[in-house]
């Protein structure tokens, strides 16, 4: 315990280390790392579970050994990947991506919740700032534009670019 406190005092700058985990267990591993670090007093400054990085948890700590000690008895935490990253290298994981990314005008989408759940529609307009899309329902008798949140649609097919 005194050795860990001495390690914390010697190295004030932190690096980001990747912890390999079992697929789909990233959140539980991150929660357990946080609990162990708090209980044992380890110098773990932040924990990140990026959606795009399946099977890995990013841990910010001054030393590789601190992360090794922390994950020793955590189930589903396999190993710490050799080498460290800087905050700048993982910065792109911190900025949220707009929900409507990948949806463009003319795409065929399916509404997955709300009053029009299960309906197919064609995208007429995409508003990235509000994260909304305006669609025209395919099965409707009269084409009425409906504006919905971008997270309640699933893209079925993309429009062919000419």
């Amino acid at each position: 315990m005194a050795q860990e406190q001495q390690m914390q005092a010697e190295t004030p700058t932190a690096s980001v280390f990747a912890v390999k985990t079992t697929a789909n267990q990233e959140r539980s591993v991150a929660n357990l790392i946080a609990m162990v670090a708090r209980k044992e007093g380890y110098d773990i400054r932040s924990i990140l579970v990026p959606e795009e990085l399946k099977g890995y948890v990013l841990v910010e700590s001054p030393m590789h050994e601190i992360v090794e000690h922390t994950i020793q008895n955590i189930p589903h935490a396999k190993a710490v990947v050799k080498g460290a990253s800087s905050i700048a290298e993982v910065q792109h994981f911190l900025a949220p991506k707009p929900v409507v990314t990948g949806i463009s005008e003319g795409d065929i989408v399916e509404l997955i919740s709300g009053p029009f759940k299960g309906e197919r529609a064609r995208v007429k307009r995409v508003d990235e700032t509000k994260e909304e899309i305006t669609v025209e329902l395919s099965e409707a008798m009269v084409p009425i534009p409906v504006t919905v949140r971008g997270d309640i649609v699933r893209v079925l097919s993309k429009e062919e670019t000419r």
Side-chain angles (χ1 to χ4, degrees):
M1 183 83 160
Q3 185 182 13
E4 272 80 45
Q5 289 174 345
Q6 183 181 3
M7 282 192 267
Q8 291 174 12
E10 290 174 3
T11 54
T13 60
S15 296
V16 177
F17 300 97
V19 176
K20 179 116 178 73
T21 66
T22 306
N24 298 322
Q25 295 294 323
E26 299 90 355
R27 287 211 189 272
S28 61
V29 169
N31 290 336
L32 289 169
I33 289 172
M35 281 181 14
V36 169
R38 211 173 297 121
K39 181 180 172 194
E40 299 294 326
Y42 291 139
D43 188 11
I44 290 189
R45 299 178 183 176
S46 64
I47 303 168
L48 179 65
V49 183
E51 282 289 320
E52 308 89 40
L53 210 56
K54 293 281 183 216
Y56 290 94
V57 173
L58 301 177
V59 179
E60 181 185 11
S61 181
M63 294 185 69
H64 184 269
E65 290 79 14
I66 294 172
V67 181
E68 284 280 350
H69 285 293
T70 306
I71 68 160
Q72 248 173 4
N73 296 320
I74 293 179
H76 304 294
K78 295 179 180 174
V80 178
V81 177
K82 298 284 185 239
S85 301
S86 66
I87 299 291
E89 289 176 308
V90 296
Q91 194 79 37
H92 64 280
F93 291 124
L94 302 175
K97 292 183 184 67
V99 178
V100 295
T101 302
I103 301 174
S104 56
E105 290 182 27
D107 290 353
I108 303 295
V109 296
E110 179 183 3
L111 293 134
I112 55 174
S113 73
F116 301 110
K117 182 177 180 177
E119 293 281 333
R120 291 174 182 249
R122 181 174 296 276
V123 177
K124 291 297 176 187
R125 188 175 64 236
V126 178
D127 186 353
E128 288 197 19
T129 56
K130 292 183 181 177
E131 295 189 353
E132 293 179 338
I133 61 170
T134 302
V135 298
E136 225 171 61
L137 301 175
S138 301
E139 286 96 32
M141 293 292 186
V142 179
I144 302 169
V146 178
T147 302
V148 294
R149 291 192 335 262
D151 61 341
I152 68 163
V153 298
R154 179 178 62 200
V155 178
L156 298 176
S157 64
K158 295 276 188 186
E159 183 186 41
E160 299 294 320
T161 53
R162 295 182 187 129

